[in-house]
């Protein structure tokens, strides 16, 4: 199914809802106020739209992450240029079951803060991470604490010990580098305690731009990271899957791709102990970019892959494993 209007409409994240349907958060130019606004779409189990809501003001507002709340409503996070203290601030919105706003909060200072990942915590509150910032709130969105870090977080999880793990990108300027075009991004994994204090962090640095987008905790207490690398693989960017121990030390890694750019955005564990990754491929498929879904075994060997799309650009940003054993991609 497609959802949108005559201008740009981007899906950032989706969840399967308790009624068997789906909730998709993103941002839209087609609807809402001026510029981009949050767009929340609720569908039934077959993807047919039940309702949608936009949230925003006169500036740029980007929706990036959604969770279903325990009361049947939704909590969505992203960034706002319309409200708050700075150019962009974290924006957290709580809605009822049909997307009507119950409360909203902004967090940030005078600069740019983008919120990319949201989780509900065991105490009923929320943790939100993004560009160099982690915010913990209570169930009403009131900030309890925040921590800042050197890198930018693309994915946040609550770990089995009650702390947090964050994965994203960090820029480490090589000695003697004077041209910013030659400064590489490194994959970056941080483990914190329950208050966001860093316990350890690891970078996975090679010679070029390597980016981490998605994170899961594995059954053995380690982590699996989904991202993209241009340091090695078949060509351009390739999907990159890294498996670590419980301190972030690499146990194995695998790349997947062809001669062109193949960029992984989302990773899930599968019931058989393997992994599924999605993003886009320029190496395969029907068009300039197509959705690419890869299924691997427990040590990252590809078992199968599928492309989805037409002659133009299709970019997959979010993947979930569904309750019937399949997958949903937005």
């Amino acid at each position: 199914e497609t959802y949108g209007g005559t201008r740009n409409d981007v899906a950032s994240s989706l969840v399967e809802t308790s009624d068997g349907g789906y909730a998709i958060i993103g941002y839209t130019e087609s609807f809402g106020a001026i510029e981009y606004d949050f767009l929340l779409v609720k569908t039934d189990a077959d993807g047919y739209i039940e309702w949608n809501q936009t949230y925003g003001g006169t500036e740029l507002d980007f929706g990036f992450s959604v969770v279903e709340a325990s009361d049947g409503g939704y909590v969505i996070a992203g960034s706002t240029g319309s409200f708050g203290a700075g150019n962009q601030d974290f924006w957290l919105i709580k809605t009822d079951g049909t997307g009507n706003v119950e409360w909203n909060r902004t967090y940030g200072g005078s600069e740019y803060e983008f919120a990319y990942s949201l989780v509900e915590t065991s105490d009923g509150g929320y943790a939100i991470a993004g560009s160099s910032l982690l915010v913990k709130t209570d169930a009403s969105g009131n900030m309890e604490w925040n921590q800042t870090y050197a890198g930018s977080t693309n994915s946040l999880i609550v770990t089995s010990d009650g702390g947090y793990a964050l994965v994203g990108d960090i820029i480490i300027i090589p000695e003697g580098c004077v041209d910013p075009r030659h400064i590489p991004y490194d994959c970056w994994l941080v483990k914190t305690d329950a208050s966001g204090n860093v316990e350890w962090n690891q970078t996975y640095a090679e010679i070029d731009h390597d980016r981490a987008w998605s994170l899961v905790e594995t059954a053995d207490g380690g982590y699996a990271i989904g991202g993209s690398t241009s340091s090695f693989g078949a060509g351009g960017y390739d999907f990159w899957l890294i498996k670590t121990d419980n301190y972030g030390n690499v146990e194995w890694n695998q790349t997947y791709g062809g001669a062109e750019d193949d960029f992984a955005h989302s990773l899930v564990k599968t019931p058989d102990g393997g992994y599924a990754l999605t993003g886009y491929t320029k190496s395969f498929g029907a068009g300039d970019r197509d959705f690419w879904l890869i299924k691997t075994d427990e040590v990252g060997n590809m078992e199968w892959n599928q492309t989805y799309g037409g002659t133009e650009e299709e970019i997959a940003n979010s993947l979930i494993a569904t309750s019937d054993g399949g997958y949903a991609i937005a």
Side-chain angles (χ1 to χ4, degrees), residues 11 27 212 223 326:
Y27 45 96
Y223 302 94

Side-chain angles (χ1 to χ4, degrees), residues 112-329:
Y112 290 87
E113 286 91 26
F114 291 89
Y116 296 126
S117 191
L118 164 72
V119 293
E120 188 171 12
T121 53
S122 59
D123 62 359
Y126 303 95
I128 315 153
S131 48
S132 306
L133 182 62
L134 173 64
V135 172
K136 171 67 174 68
T137 81
D138 65 15
S140 299
N142 300 302
M143 185 189 295
E144 296 178 328
W145 52 258
N146 71 88
Q147 298 277 7
T148 57
Y149 309 106
S152 179
T153 299
N154 293 323
S155 183
L156 165 72
I157 62 171
V158 179
T159 53
S160 54
D161 64 358
Y164 301 95
L166 307 87
V167 76
D169 311 313
I170 191 168
I171 297 174
I172 298 176
I173 301 175
E175 185 177 351
C177 179
V178 295
D179 187 342
R181 293 171 299 177
H182 296 157
I183 297 175
Y185 291 98
D186 289 334
C187 294
W188 177 65
L189 174 64
V190 178
K191 172 67 175 68
T192 82
D193 65 15
S195 299
N197 301 300
V198 173
E199 295 178 329
W200 53 259
N201 71 96
Q202 297 273 13
T203 57
Y204 309 99
E206 294 297 334
I207 59 173
D208 215 328
H209 293 284
D210 306 307
R211 310 200 67 177
W213 289 97
S214 192
L215 174 70
V216 295
E217 188 174 13
T218 53
D220 61 2
Y223 302 94
I225 303 167
S228 303
T229 178
S230 59
S231 295
F232 41 83
Y237 279 100
D238 285 326
F239 280 30
W240 196 17
L241 177 61
I242 303 170
K243 171 66 174 69
T244 81
D245 65 14
N246 60 333
Y247 291 102
N249 301 301
V250 175
E251 295 180 330
W252 53 259
N253 72 99
Q254 298 271 17
T255 61
Y256 318 91
E260 301 297 328
D261 285 338
D262 308 297
F263 215 93
H265 287 142
S266 193
L267 165 71
V268 296
K269 294 183 292 186
T270 55
D272 62 0
Y275 304 94
L277 299 94
T278 195
Y280 71 77
T281 178
K282 293 183 73 173
S283 300
F284 314 110
D288 182 45
R289 288 179 174 88
D290 284 329
F291 283 24
W292 196 24
L293 175 63
I294 292 173
K295 169 68 173 68
T296 82
D297 66 14
E298 68 278 4
V299 291
N301 298 305
M302 186 190 293
E303 296 179 326
W304 52 258
N305 72 96
Q306 296 278 1
T307 60
Y308 313 95
T311 58
E312 300 299 325
E313 291 191 352
E314 286 83 37
I315 297 172
N317 287 326
S318 186
L319 168 71
I320 59 172
T322 55
S323 55
D324 63 358
Y327 303 95
I329 310 167

